[in-house]
Amino acid sequence: LFVDAPLTEGASVPLDRAQANYLLNVMRLKTGDAVRIFDDRTGEWAARIESEGRRDARLVVATRLGPREAVPDLWLCVAPIKRARIDLVAEKASELGVARLVPVATRRTVIERLNPERLRAHMIEAAEQCGRTALPELVAEPVKLERLLADWPAGRALIFADETGGVPLAKAARPCPAAILIGPEGGFTPEERDAIRACPAAVGVSLGPRILRAETAALAAVAVWMAAAGD
Ligand code: SAM
């Protein structure tokens, strides 16, 4: 369970309604039962439930079980797409171990604004389900592609998913730090494609002969990358 407060031994942590309901009524846990929690800062801890009735509960933090996980330093840069689909990308990026999710505004991006709270909630739920003890960072506001390229950090590979052709992704996978860049449903414009290719860190990669939806391309690329180079 994710607890958004720095954890220390012996701390008493109040749970919100949803968390209390999940533990007491969905998981049917009761006072004294053990729970594994993480705060995305200090690592994973064992805690015990102290419940007051069926709706209120708190946790008493016991022992630290391990450090905050070290995930591969892989960013997923994706042009925002329709709500249900970007929610899927956020959820799967969390499961797959992405370190940072960067929404990118491109010429053909149709979704101008994101709901970072909703995306973060999907990432937390996915992390709890798959046992992560670190959450992906989420850049709340879409970054303009030009700005992203102009400020590209030295030493980070820019793996650009290019449906017009590129080296097979598995061949381009190399140890992090790296970023995978996925275009919007309408694709990158030719000018954008040229600007990306002009970035010294950029490697154009193919995800195969078929044109994938943006969310499929994002998740397939991250999965292939993690299998080939995720340390
Ligand atoms: N230009 C596409 C078309 O003709 O329909 C639209 C873009 S595609 C729906 C969305 C994004 O997914 C692309 O910008 C690219 O980043 C990625 N993508 C999709 N299929 C791909 C492939 N086979 N290889 C590499 N990238 C791909």
Side-chain angles (χ1 to χ4, degrees):
L1 187 73
F2 173 64
V3 173
D4 197 1
L7 297 174
T8 54
E9 192 152 340
S12 173
V13 179
L15 293 175
D16 63 33
R17 279 286 157 113
Q19 289 174 321
N21 178 58
Y22 173 70
L23 293 179
L24 300 176
N25 303 316
V26 174
M27 300 297 289
R28 297 203 167 283
L29 299 178
K30 48 192 182 314
T31 292
D33 283 351
V35 181
R36 297 167 77 112
I37 59 178
F38 72 102
D39 58 4
D40 193 24
R41 301 168 179 88
T42 63
E44 186 177 37
W45 296 74
R48 270 186 315 96
I49 289 181
E50 276 188 1
S51 78
E52 289 91 33
R54 305 296 305 155
R55 300 168 70 84
D56 290 326
R58 60 182 42 251
L59 295 175
V60 177
V61 180
T63 48
R64 188 161 174 265
L65 299 174
R68 179 179 186 276
E69 64 178 320
V71 286
D73 184 5
L74 178 68
W75 297 355
L76 176 58
C77 305
V78 58
I81 43 183
K82 292 190 181 64
R83 170 184 171 136
R85 295 191 179 144
I86 192 73
D87 289 359
L88 179 86
V89 170
E91 179 181 273
K92 301 312 172 197
S94 188
E95 284 178 60
L96 286 165
V98 164
R100 179 183 290 187
L101 185 60
V102 184
V104 182
T106 69
R107 194 70 43 80
R108 295 175 184 159
T109 300
V110 293
I111 307 286
E112 296 303 322
R113 296 198 55 73
L114 290 172
N115 179 331
E117 291 71 32
R118 196 189 71 235
L119 293 181
R120 186 165 154 80
H122 281 291
M123 292 202 289
I124 290 170
E125 202 175 320
E128 290 173 334
Q129 174 270 322
C130 69
R132 285 192 66 162
T133 58
L135 295 174
E137 272 177 72
L138 171 64
V139 172
E141 284 299 315
V143 179
K144 281 200 179 314
L145 179 64
E146 295 78 7
R147 169 63 42 223
L148 184 81
L149 297 175
D151 297 347
W152 195 258
R156 183 174 294 277
L158 169 51
I159 307 302
F160 153 47
D162 184 356
E163 71 280 11
T164 65
V167 298
L169 171 58
K171 286 209 170 52
R174 70 193 66 164
C176 292
I180 291 172
L181 173 61
I182 305 286
E185 282 310 314
F188 291 111
T189 64
E191 299 73 22
E192 288 175 331
R193 203 169 274 123
D194 291 346
I196 298 166
R197 286 208 183 98
C199 179
V203 178
V205 298
S206 168
L207 297 174
R210 287 164 292 282
I211 300 289
L212 308 175
R213 281 192 180 281
E215 66 272 23
T216 313
L219 304 175
V222 171
V224 168
W225 183 277
M226 286 299 181
D231 33 20

